[in-house]
Amino acid sequence: MNSQEWFARATAVMPGGVNSPVRAFKAVGGTPPFIASASGAYLQTVEGRRLIDFISSWGAIIYGHADEAVVKAVTDAVVDGTSFGAPSPGEVEVAELITELVPSIEVVRLVNSGTEATMSAARLARGATGRDVIVKFEGCYHGHADAFLVQAGSGGATFGEPNSPGVPAGTVATTRVVTYNDLAAVEQALTPGDVACVIVEPVAGNMGVVPPAEGFLDGLRSLCDKHGALLIFDEVMTGFRVARGGAQERYGITPDLTCLGKIVAGGAAAAAYGGRADLMRLISPDGGVYQAGTLAGNPIAVAAGLATLRKLRVDDALYSDLERRGSHLQSRLEDALAEAGVLGCVQRVGAMLTVFFGVDTVENWEDAARLDTDAFAQYFQAALDGGVMLPPSAYEAMFLTASHTDEVIDRAADILVAAIHGLAS
Ligand code: KE4
């Protein structure tokens, strides 16, 4: 069967034919290729097409698909059982590694998804402070827990309004939404003294890549301290990607709590939240803030995570290679925009980058909302026709892995440059 046939079967039994909305290609049109396998920097479709992959499982893959160490670790683990529902040594080893690689994390809890990690961290902040309000930023995504499915209300730092049916207004009445990179808006939101936490993507990746403005993260740290709110870094995407110790290492900021996902489990189903011991000891069964999970710390995800973290822990070349290759790809794309006379910009932090069309800079959601999504859809389809799989949304990031060698990057860049020139014609 081909992708169209698989998609017809899928849509008959799954919402949108997918298990996560963005995969349905609604933003870019057409039928999503169904993937038979993946290896290194490549996806292999059910039709046998090899595509250079920049989805990289939405950033979860840092060494490339089917990394030899991860495959061996999972293969060795699975024969001993998939889930014990009881403590196992691997959970301890991965927790110790996380606390070593992310020094602000003194105590950590493994969960099954980034959504669980951020949901739990927010509950912990509320439990620890006795305050109900959380502050988030417009354009930042923290998974699909009710409290985060919120859009800015009318006016500045007002309470949020649900951005999904099924989310009660009451649930988001305690979520304040403010503008990314706007410290004045944050100060206004914190002034009432009722805020439990500020949760932020320290490098925004869910409105496309939007770096923190100079002083923004420092300002968040100071404002949270001044107003008795906790600072939560949602590093589900940036963790172990923009630096070995994540954005907090890259920018030198110490959050109170950190959420991790994706790379922490080497592309398997696990995530984590952790931070100051005095806070994490409030989590059940040490403390009263409840959180649990049947498959939390399962040996398969732990094996994949351990294999990945043990590798990147000693890999001195990884982050310099990712930085160099990301910079080279950015340059080639920026040159193409200029040569083709196409209005756009490329924004990058380390091994995550976004090409924005129709705007010359994106510093917040208001900027991102103005981008030319039609141009992106045309660019996306031309790239796919040429053999490059981009994330199927203008509001996502391209993710490089260690398997995106200089040769792969230049081959992909040739295809993407042609796609950009195609916009000009
Ligand atoms: P999950 O629940 O999808 O594992 O993680 C939620 C999450 C939390 N925080 C950040 C910063 C995230 O980027 C995510 C999930 N990222 C999206 C991609 N932008 C996942 C892709 C998808 O939804 O299919």
Side-chain angles (χ1 to χ4, degrees):
M1 287 195 347
N2 64 31
S3 295
Q4 286 74 10
E5 292 163 328
W6 276 115
F7 200 40
R9 281 178 59 180
T11 49
V13 288
M14 292 187 281
V18 293
N19 284 308
S20 199
V22 67
R23 303 178 197 171
F25 272 31
K26 296 279 189 198
V28 294
T31 298
F34 274 59
I35 305 306
S37 66
S39 176
Y42 294 91
L43 297 171
Q44 180 105 355
T45 71
V46 293
E47 291 86 358
R49 278 193 78 199
R50 264 195 1 146
L51 302 171
I52 299 174
D53 179 28
F54 286 103
I55 299 175
S56 304
S57 182
W58 302 97
I61 308 290
I62 195 68
Y63 276 103
H65 291 292
D67 173 67
E68 189 179 341
V70 172
V71 170
K72 181 177 185 325
V74 171
T75 305
D76 291 349
V78 71
V79 294
D80 292 333
T82 56
S83 171
F84 307 138
S88 60
E91 295 169 78
V92 182
E93 293 172 315
V94 78
E96 289 171 342
L97 252 182
I98 291 168
T99 61
E100 177 193 329
L101 295 170
V102 189
S104 71
I105 298 180
E106 298 171 330
V107 175
V108 63
R109 169 63 63 84
L110 299 180
V111 292
N112 296 294
S113 70
T115 292
E116 274 192 76
T118 57
M119 176 175 71
S120 307
R123 181 182 304 133
L124 172 56
R126 287 169 157 161
T129 61
R131 298 175 174 185
D132 291 342
V133 176
I134 60 177
V135 171
K136 78 172 289 289
F137 293 88
E138 200 170 17
C140 285
Y141 176 68
H142 304 293
H144 63 88
D146 280 356
F148 299 126
L149 293 184
V150 57
Q151 59 202 3
S154 50
T158 57
F159 285 136
E161 295 159 4
N163 68 3
S164 164
V167 174
T171 309
V172 294
T174 48
T175 304
R176 266 181 214 136
V177 183
V178 293
T179 301
Y180 195 75
N181 281 325
D182 182 345
L183 288 173
V186 175
E187 174 109 63
Q188 183 188 8
L190 288 170
T191 299
D194 57 356
V195 175
C197 63
V198 173
I199 185 167
V200 66
E201 290 182 61
V203 174
N206 286 289
M207 47 180 150
V209 174
V210 179
E214 184 67 34
F216 175 60
L217 298 177
D218 277 310
L220 289 183
R221 179 69 277 172
S222 304
L223 287 170
C224 284
D225 291 343
K226 177 180 172 185
H227 293 278
L230 298 179
L231 178 58
I232 301 178
F233 268 18
D234 178 352
E235 296 225 42
V236 166
M237 189 183 283
T238 55
F240 312 109
R241 173 162 289 280
V242 299
R244 182 174 287 112
Q248 54 195 271
E249 175 184 293
R250 190 177 182 110
Y251 296 100
I253 306 289
T254 302
D256 298 299
L257 295 171
T258 299
C259 303
L260 298 168
K262 302 180 194 277
I263 295 171
V264 77
Y273 69 102
R276 285 172 26 201
D278 63 309
L279 296 172
M280 289 302 293
R281 296 292 180 200
L282 298 173
I283 292 289
S284 177
D286 280 347
V289 180
Y290 195 71
Q291 177 267 313
T294 302
L295 297 176
N298 72 79
I300 307 305
V302 163
L306 267 180
T308 300
L309 297 186
R310 282 172 175 160
K311 204 168 166 180
L312 66 80
R313 176 173 174 261
V314 297
D315 189 341
D316 293 336
L318 176 63
Y319 293 99
S320 53
D321 284 351
L322 290 171
E323 194 69 42
R324 175 174 55 79
R325 290 168 178 154
S327 175
H328 178 64
L329 178 58
Q330 177 177 8
S331 299
R332 292 217 47 200
L333 296 171
E334 287 173 337
D335 292 349
L337 288 168
E339 287 155 11
V342 171
L343 174 59
C345 62
V346 182
Q347 298 188 171
R348 176 183 68 86
V349 177
M352 54 191 276
L353 68 158
T354 298
V355 181
F356 294 97
F357 295 102
V359 291
D360 54 19
T361 184
V362 178
E363 296 177 1
N364 53 42
W365 175 248
E366 189 181 342
D367 293 343
R370 292 203 310 271
L371 66 84
D372 185 342
T373 52
D374 291 339
F376 176 82
Q378 186 181 331
Y379 163 71
F380 175 91
Q381 292 298 345
L384 185 56
D385 291 346
V388 169
M389 173 71 97
L390 295 170
S393 162
Y395 299 107
E396 295 287 356
M398 295 166 69
F399 296 104
L400 277 65
T401 75
S403 295
H404 288 76
T405 61
D406 295 347
E407 184 207 3
V408 169
I409 291 287
D410 270 326
R411 187 176 319 134
D414 292 344
I415 294 163
L416 297 175
V417 166
I420 288 171
H421 281 278
L423 296 177
S425 50

